[in-house]
Structure formats: structure tokens, C-alpha cells
Amino acid sequence: MSDEIKHECGVALLRLRKDLNYYQRKYGTAYYGYHKLSLLMEKQHNRGQDGAGIAALGLDVEPGRPYYQLEKSARDLPLADLLERIGSRIEDGLAGEGETAARLSSLSLPFCGELYLEHLRYGTFGNRTLSACHPVTRVSSCRNHTMLLAGNFNLTNTEAIFRELVKSGHHPAGRQDSEILLLHLGHHLEKMLEARNGHEPMLDIFELLRRAAREWDGGFTLCGMFGNGDAFALRDACGIRPGYYYFDDEIAVVASERPAIQTAFNLSSSEVMELPPGHALSISADGRIALRECLERALHRRCVFERIYFSRGNDADIHRERLALGRALVPSVMKAIGGDLENTVFSYIPNTAQISFHGLLEGLDELRGNRRVRFSQIAVKDAKFRTFITDAAHRRDLFPHVYDVTYGVVRPGADTLVVLDDSIVRGNTMRNAILPILDRLGPKKIVVASAAPPICYPDCYGIDMSSFGELVAFEALVSLLGKRGEGGLVAHAAEAAAADLEKEDTEMRNRVRALYGRVSFEELCGEIGALLTPPDLAASVEVVFQRLEDVHAACPMHRGDWYFSGDYPTPGGNRVVNRALVNYAAKISGRSY
């Protein structure tokens, strides 16, 4: 993807279902669980590069010793830093104690327990402090009152839950989703314990999750463990955020991506199950596993951006879907190049667009009777280019050179150059870096093909697309309305949105959809192309976007398309989009709504 966008996050829960001595005897190490957890983190590192955390919990720790250990990092390359620091502690522990079967017990060695929780964080709103990293903890001297949580989530109604907690006598120390959610879950835990006069011989995790999570509006895959050894994973009712699980006699595991589990435990795709939307998987302290529906059923709206960009493409289904997305672009691309395959070179923006590019090539080859079209790796990204530049002004000057090009493939003045991108969000990198450097090759025309439709609406479930001012599609919409003398419609829509913000979420309408209804798909794409074209570019530019119906055909099980369609899966989505419109209108007009 040319524009960097962030999203929350990556999570994994791992439970060893046998005694530590079993893994010592069979695998030669009691650190079998920790090693597998480290591999799960490595295979999900694409999901978070702003923070990392690991918690290990022991089941049979004697009173007087800590029953869990926690380590986090928010430094540069946090995962590497975290694993290095824990690795040093493990080496010191082994050197001091020795790893002998006779002495093995929970946490007798650093991070050597039966239950693990890990998290990889993308800071979508700029907070890169250690306190923002998961797992987050609620500590009590009573083990079944202690909770550790980590998740891939964003809530739209955090403020409402905050007010409810304050009203019930709590004093939240912050307003982060993770803090509020932990406090809210703890609040319901205490209410359940109070109802039984403080006696809870066996915690009903499903009932606890039902009571708390029915008030959460947003997308989430939440993993947690209690001090007594109970653990759970819960997914939102719409299935917005992904979650997968596997268990056998030795282990139970939950993670954000299926291939991570497959690789860590050498499994086939069919062996790793999707955590059903609205369901919770529980792992009791004695190792029993149960799966139950906890949330009221809702229309499944799994995030399709996970398939287009976020999740790694080595998942079998995602690989097929990205190939299909590339194939679906063939008619539009052929129209943009006037059917002239002989004088067209095809390429892509590295690296995640590669699979869709292969699908595009397959579709084009079929048109030519399996005679290969001309393609090459034209755009080359220097991933480390900016790491040694400390001066901000100098960095801005050199920004266009983050990308380089392959010379000698495009025939100047004769060839059209087609480049495929995953999606176009803000357009800054395309406008300021990619198109200018591609223009140096001398193509007569540059066609930018996007495997995704135009991103027209902000996201509120974890993706870093929170304001209209960051979306080139909305910039194009405002430009088109202005050219038609209809610019005042934005202010009118903002007034209606401001009025809606005084209502309950369920009574609101998305006030931006009517604005997009004023222009056609072709007009919007054309204006985006005009806005992306630098004024001094020699080549002509055309931007080709995927149509939404083709995304649905390519990814039939993932209909969460609100950033394209404005059709938000939860009531809080309309609040977020209306607030974003009001903020945008206030910023450009200087007036309040």
C-alpha cells in the first residue's frame, strides 16, 4: 500500500493443557509454550509495530510468590526488544536454577507457566506510551478477582461506558478503551460476586461476558485470563475483527490470524477454526474447553480490509480472494489502456499488492491466449531510507525518494505504465512520491489501479482513518460539489449531523451518504485522479478503482465495507461519521455546529 495506515492489533492466547514436566520430557524444554507464543508473535508482527506485551501465568504457584509475570515494550522495534529482554531473564533463570524435571513448577523459571497472553499494538491515535500497551491488568490478592486483558478492538461508545462507571461509584484513571473496558468488566465481575455474597466457587465466564459486552459498541476480539487460571476469547457479534482458534490434548490457542496458528503448530487450514462472531471460547482452570454464543445475533460484517491489506496473504482463502480482486480489475484496466497490451508495462506498488497483481496478470494472460503480457518490478521501496534522516526539513525534501524505479523497461513516449496498489487512502505518497518518480521513466500515460474501491468514510473500529480531511475521496467529493456550485451542501449536511449528535445512536442517520449520492462513481474516480496528479507531471494520469460489487464477489464472507459504502455495522458508526463531518465542516469554515 502506498499510504501507511495503521490498525489495531494482534493478539494471542495460549494454554498448555498438561503439566510442565510433560513438555520437558516430550520436547526437551519446559519453555515449549513460551517458544510457541514467540513464534505466534513473530508471525503476526505485521499487525503491530508500536508496542508489544507478554504475560505468563502459573497455575500451581505457592502463596508468597507472584502467580503471573508481565513484560511490555513501547521502544523502537518493540517486539525484538521485548523478546530480547525476556530472553535475558530466561537465560539468567536457567543459569541460576537449572531446568531439571524434578524442580519444574509454575513460574519457578522466568516466564515458564501454563497460560500465556500476548499483544502487538498499532497506535492508531498516536499514543505510543508503555501504559497504552497490552496486556492491561486488574490486580487483586484474590486470584479469581485478578484479570489480564489484551485485544484487537475499538469501541465507539467508550464515553458512555465511562459515564456509567462514574455514576456507579468508580473513578477511572484514564479514558483509553482498554482501561475503560477492563474496569467495566471488573465492575460486572464484582456485581456477580456480590450477588453470591462474595462466594464464586466456579466463575461463569460466559455470563460475565454476556452482562458486560452487551453494552459494548464496536469491533473486538478480546482475550483475557483470570488469576485463578480461567481464560477466554470473545469476538464481537458482527465479526468485525478476526479471531481463530485450535486445540488438542496438549494446547489450546487463539490468535488474530489463521496462518500464525498453522505455522506455529504445523496445521492445515481446515484444522484451525474461525471463532464465530458473538461467541466466546473459554478455557477453565482445569483445562476444559467450551464454546458458546454470548452476544445477541447480528448481521455478520467481517472487515473486508483484513482481506485486502491487513492480514498476511499466506492464508489460503485470503490468497484466493486477492487473486480474484486483481482479476476483477481486468475490464477497467483494458479500457484505460485502450486495449493496447503491446505498448503497456504492468507493475505494482510493493509489497502487499503483489498477490492482486498476480491475479491481474492471470486475467490479462487469458485475454492473450496465455501469451505473457509485459510486466516488471518498476516501483522499488527503500524500507530503511528514512531511518537515518533526523532533520525534519531534510526528511521532507527527501520524502519523494523513498521509492525508486527500475530503468530500461518502459519505452519513453511509447509505453503506458499500469501500477496496481492495494488501495488509495490519503493519496499523499502517490501524489508526492510515486507518480513523480514513475514520470521519470517517460511513459505517455500512467494508470493507477486500486484493488479496493475509493475509501469514502472514516473507520471507527480500529483502522487509522478517522477524519474526512485524510481521505482523498472526500476531498474529491468536496471539489466536485464546489465546481457545481453545490458546496453549501456540506454545511447543510453538517448541520443535520450536529442535530443527530443530540439523539440516541440508534436514531441517527449517516449524513454523508447523501453527499456522495450527488456524484457518480466515474465522476468521483476522475476527480481523485485529477487531485493525485502533480501539476508538473509530463504523463497523463488515470485512476481505476475496484467496484464494490466486485469486492463482494471476491470476498463473499467479508461484507464489512463501511469505509467504502458508509453502511456501518453498529449504531455507534453513524455517531462517529457524523462527528467527523461536523469536525471537518467546523475546521474549514471556522464556525461551530
Side-chain angles (χ1 to χ4, degrees), residues 14 16 30-41 54 56 82-88 90 110-113 116:
L14 176 63
L16 301 181
Y31 278 104
Y32 174 82
Y34 176 76
H35 293 159
K36 293 297 185 181
L37 186 84
S38 300
L39 184 55
L40 286 168
M41 295 187 80
I54 292 178
L82 178 71
L83 295 179
E84 182 178 350
R85 285 196 280 119
I86 293 178
S88 296
I90 290 174
F111 282 85
C112 188
Y116 292 93

Short mmCIF file of all heavy atoms in Angstrom, two decimals, residues 14 16 30-41 54 56 82-88 90 110-113 116:
data_model
loop_
_atom_site.label_atom_id
_atom_site.label_comp_id
_atom_site.label_asym_id
_atom_site.label_seq_id
_atom_site.Cartn_x
_atom_site.Cartn_y
_atom_site.Cartn_z
N LEU A 14 -2.57 -18.56 24.71
CA LEU A 14 -2.06 -19.92 24.62
C LEU A 14 -2.16 -20.60 25.99
O LEU A 14 -1.68 -20.06 26.99
CB LEU A 14 -0.61 -19.92 24.15
CG LEU A 14 0.11 -21.27 24.10
CD1 LEU A 14 -0.57 -22.20 23.10
CD2 LEU A 14 1.57 -21.09 23.74
N LEU A 16 -1.32 -24.28 27.95
CA LEU A 16 -0.80 -25.64 27.99
C LEU A 16 -1.77 -26.48 28.80
O LEU A 16 -2.11 -26.13 29.93
CB LEU A 16 0.59 -25.66 28.63
CG LEU A 16 1.67 -24.81 27.95
CD1 LEU A 16 2.99 -24.97 28.69
CD2 LEU A 16 1.82 -25.17 26.48
N ALA A 30 10.75 -27.06 29.17
CA ALA A 30 9.50 -26.60 29.78
C ALA A 30 9.03 -25.30 29.16
O ALA A 30 7.94 -24.82 29.46
CB ALA A 30 9.70 -26.41 31.28
N TYR A 31 9.87 -24.73 28.30
CA TYR A 31 9.52 -23.48 27.63
C TYR A 31 8.83 -23.71 26.29
O TYR A 31 8.80 -22.83 25.43
CB TYR A 31 10.78 -22.63 27.41
CG TYR A 31 11.18 -21.85 28.65
CD1 TYR A 31 12.24 -22.26 29.44
CD2 TYR A 31 10.47 -20.71 29.02
CE1 TYR A 31 12.59 -21.55 30.58
CE2 TYR A 31 10.81 -19.99 30.15
CZ TYR A 31 11.88 -20.42 30.93
OH TYR A 31 12.21 -19.71 32.06
N TYR A 32 8.25 -24.88 26.11
CA TYR A 32 7.51 -25.17 24.88
C TYR A 32 6.45 -24.11 24.62
O TYR A 32 6.33 -23.59 23.50
CB TYR A 32 6.87 -26.55 25.01
CG TYR A 32 5.95 -26.92 23.85
CD1 TYR A 32 6.47 -27.43 22.67
CD2 TYR A 32 4.57 -26.77 23.97
CE1 TYR A 32 5.63 -27.77 21.62
CE2 TYR A 32 3.72 -27.12 22.92
CZ TYR A 32 4.26 -27.62 21.75
OH TYR A 32 3.43 -27.95 20.72
N GLY A 33 5.67 -23.76 25.63
CA GLY A 33 4.61 -22.76 25.46
C GLY A 33 5.16 -21.40 25.11
O GLY A 33 4.64 -20.73 24.19
N TYR A 34 6.20 -20.96 25.79
CA TYR A 34 6.78 -19.65 25.50
C TYR A 34 7.36 -19.61 24.09
O TYR A 34 7.20 -18.61 23.38
CB TYR A 34 7.86 -19.31 26.52
CG TYR A 34 8.55 -18.00 26.21
CD1 TYR A 34 7.93 -16.79 26.47
CD2 TYR A 34 9.81 -17.99 25.60
CE1 TYR A 34 8.54 -15.59 26.14
CE2 TYR A 34 10.42 -16.80 25.27
CZ TYR A 34 9.79 -15.60 25.55
OH TYR A 34 10.40 -14.41 25.23
N HIS A 35 8.02 -20.68 23.67
CA HIS A 35 8.58 -20.70 22.32
C HIS A 35 7.48 -20.61 21.26
O HIS A 35 7.63 -19.90 20.25
CB HIS A 35 9.41 -21.98 22.12
CG HIS A 35 10.64 -22.04 22.96
ND1 HIS A 35 11.29 -23.20 23.26
CD2 HIS A 35 11.35 -21.04 23.58
CE1 HIS A 35 12.34 -22.95 24.02
NE2 HIS A 35 12.39 -21.65 24.24
N LYS A 36 6.39 -21.32 21.49
CA LYS A 36 5.27 -21.25 20.54
C LYS A 36 4.64 -19.85 20.55
O LYS A 36 4.26 -19.33 19.50
CB LYS A 36 4.21 -22.30 20.89
CG LYS A 36 4.67 -23.74 20.68
CD LYS A 36 5.00 -24.02 19.22
CE LYS A 36 5.34 -25.48 18.99
NZ LYS A 36 5.69 -25.75 17.56
N LEU A 37 4.54 -19.25 21.71
CA LEU A 37 3.98 -17.90 21.79
C LEU A 37 4.87 -16.92 21.04
O LEU A 37 4.38 -16.04 20.32
CB LEU A 37 3.85 -17.48 23.25
CG LEU A 37 3.14 -16.13 23.44
CD1 LEU A 37 1.64 -16.31 23.42
CD2 LEU A 37 3.60 -15.44 24.72
N SER A 38 6.18 -17.04 21.18
CA SER A 38 7.10 -16.15 20.47
C SER A 38 6.93 -16.28 18.97
O SER A 38 6.97 -15.28 18.24
CB SER A 38 8.54 -16.48 20.87
OG SER A 38 8.75 -16.31 22.25
N LEU A 39 6.72 -17.52 18.50
CA LEU A 39 6.52 -17.74 17.08
C LEU A 39 5.21 -17.12 16.61
O LEU A 39 5.14 -16.51 15.53
CB LEU A 39 6.55 -19.24 16.77
CG LEU A 39 6.44 -19.65 15.31
CD1 LEU A 39 7.50 -18.96 14.46
CD2 LEU A 39 6.55 -21.18 15.18
N LEU A 40 4.16 -17.25 17.43
CA LEU A 40 2.88 -16.62 17.10
C LEU A 40 3.04 -15.11 16.98
O LEU A 40 2.44 -14.47 16.09
CB LEU A 40 1.84 -16.93 18.17
CG LEU A 40 1.26 -18.35 18.19
CD1 LEU A 40 0.48 -18.58 19.47
CD2 LEU A 40 0.37 -18.59 16.98
N MET A 41 3.83 -14.51 17.85
CA MET A 41 4.05 -13.06 17.79
C MET A 41 4.83 -12.69 16.53
O MET A 41 4.51 -11.71 15.85
CB MET A 41 4.80 -12.59 19.04
CG MET A 41 4.01 -12.75 20.33
SD MET A 41 4.82 -12.00 21.75
CE MET A 41 4.38 -10.27 21.53
N ILE A 54 3.77 -9.36 26.80
CA ILE A 54 3.57 -10.78 27.08
C ILE A 54 3.29 -10.94 28.57
O ILE A 54 3.97 -10.34 29.41
CB ILE A 54 4.81 -11.62 26.72
CG1 ILE A 54 5.03 -11.65 25.21
CG2 ILE A 54 4.67 -13.05 27.24
CD1 ILE A 54 6.28 -12.41 24.79
N ALA A 56 2.68 -14.18 31.42
CA ALA A 56 2.71 -15.61 31.70
C ALA A 56 2.10 -15.83 33.07
O ALA A 56 2.42 -15.12 34.02
CB ALA A 56 4.13 -16.15 31.65
N LEU A 82 11.28 -6.66 23.31
CA LEU A 82 10.58 -7.45 24.31
C LEU A 82 11.16 -8.86 24.41
O LEU A 82 11.47 -9.35 25.50
CB LEU A 82 9.09 -7.52 23.96
CG LEU A 82 8.21 -8.35 24.90
CD1 LEU A 82 8.05 -7.65 26.23
CD2 LEU A 82 6.85 -8.59 24.25
N LEU A 83 11.30 -9.54 23.27
CA LEU A 83 11.80 -10.91 23.28
C LEU A 83 13.25 -10.97 23.75
O LEU A 83 13.65 -11.94 24.42
CB LEU A 83 11.67 -11.52 21.88
CG LEU A 83 10.24 -11.69 21.36
CD1 LEU A 83 10.24 -12.29 19.97
CD2 LEU A 83 9.41 -12.55 22.31
N GLU A 84 14.02 -9.93 23.44
CA GLU A 84 15.42 -9.91 23.90
C GLU A 84 15.49 -9.77 25.42
O GLU A 84 16.27 -10.47 26.08
CB GLU A 84 16.16 -8.76 23.23
CG GLU A 84 17.63 -8.69 23.62
CD GLU A 84 18.38 -7.57 22.91
OE1 GLU A 84 17.80 -6.97 21.98
OE2 GLU A 84 19.52 -7.30 23.30
N ARG A 85 14.65 -8.91 25.99
CA ARG A 85 14.69 -8.70 27.43
C ARG A 85 14.17 -9.92 28.18
O ARG A 85 14.74 -10.32 29.21
CB ARG A 85 13.87 -7.45 27.80
CG ARG A 85 14.61 -6.17 27.44
CD ARG A 85 14.02 -4.95 28.13
NE ARG A 85 12.83 -4.47 27.45
CZ ARG A 85 11.64 -4.40 27.99
NH1 ARG A 85 11.45 -4.83 29.23
NH2 ARG A 85 10.61 -3.92 27.32
N ILE A 86 13.09 -10.53 27.68
CA ILE A 86 12.60 -11.75 28.33
C ILE A 86 13.62 -12.87 28.16
O ILE A 86 13.86 -13.66 29.09
CB ILE A 86 11.24 -12.15 27.75
CG1 ILE A 86 10.18 -11.11 28.12
CG2 ILE A 86 10.82 -13.52 28.27
CD1 ILE A 86 8.80 -11.41 27.56
N GLY A 87 14.24 -12.94 26.97
CA GLY A 87 15.26 -13.95 26.75
C GLY A 87 16.42 -13.85 27.72
O GLY A 87 16.93 -14.87 28.21
N SER A 88 16.80 -12.63 28.05
CA SER A 88 17.89 -12.43 29.03
C SER A 88 17.47 -12.92 30.41
O SER A 88 18.26 -13.55 31.13
CB SER A 88 18.27 -10.95 29.09
OG SER A 88 18.79 -10.51 27.87
N ILE A 90 15.26 -15.24 31.00
CA ILE A 90 15.20 -16.70 30.95
C ILE A 90 16.59 -17.31 31.07
O ILE A 90 16.81 -18.28 31.82
CB ILE A 90 14.51 -17.17 29.65
CG1 ILE A 90 13.01 -16.82 29.70
CG2 ILE A 90 14.70 -18.67 29.43
CD1 ILE A 90 12.28 -17.10 28.41
N PRO A 110 11.69 -17.95 34.96
CA PRO A 110 11.03 -16.77 34.38
C PRO A 110 10.18 -17.13 33.17
O PRO A 110 10.62 -17.85 32.27
CB PRO A 110 12.21 -15.86 34.00
CG PRO A 110 13.33 -16.28 34.90
CD PRO A 110 13.15 -17.76 35.07
N PHE A 111 8.95 -16.66 33.14
CA PHE A 111 8.03 -16.82 32.02
C PHE A 111 7.85 -18.30 31.63
O PHE A 111 7.68 -18.62 30.46
CB PHE A 111 8.47 -15.98 30.83
CG PHE A 111 8.13 -14.53 30.99
CD1 PHE A 111 8.99 -13.69 31.68
CD2 PHE A 111 6.96 -14.01 30.50
CE1 PHE A 111 8.69 -12.35 31.86
CE2 PHE A 111 6.63 -12.68 30.68
CZ PHE A 111 7.49 -11.84 31.37
N CYS A 112 7.86 -19.15 32.62
CA CYS A 112 7.64 -20.57 32.40
C CYS A 112 6.36 -20.96 33.12
O CYS A 112 6.38 -21.40 34.27
CB CYS A 112 8.82 -21.39 32.90
SG CYS A 112 8.72 -23.15 32.46
N GLY A 113 5.23 -20.74 32.46
CA GLY A 113 3.93 -21.02 33.05
C GLY A 113 3.07 -21.86 32.12
O GLY A 113 3.53 -22.32 31.07
N TYR A 116 -0.49 -18.19 28.68
CA TYR A 116 0.21 -17.04 28.10
C TYR A 116 -0.78 -16.13 27.37
O TYR A 116 -1.73 -16.61 26.74
CB TYR A 116 1.28 -17.48 27.11
CG TYR A 116 2.45 -18.21 27.73
CD1 TYR A 116 2.45 -19.61 27.81
CD2 TYR A 116 3.56 -17.52 28.21
CE1 TYR A 116 3.52 -20.29 28.36
CE2 TYR A 116 4.64 -18.20 28.76
CZ TYR A 116 4.62 -19.58 28.83
OH TYR A 116 5.68 -20.25 29.38
#
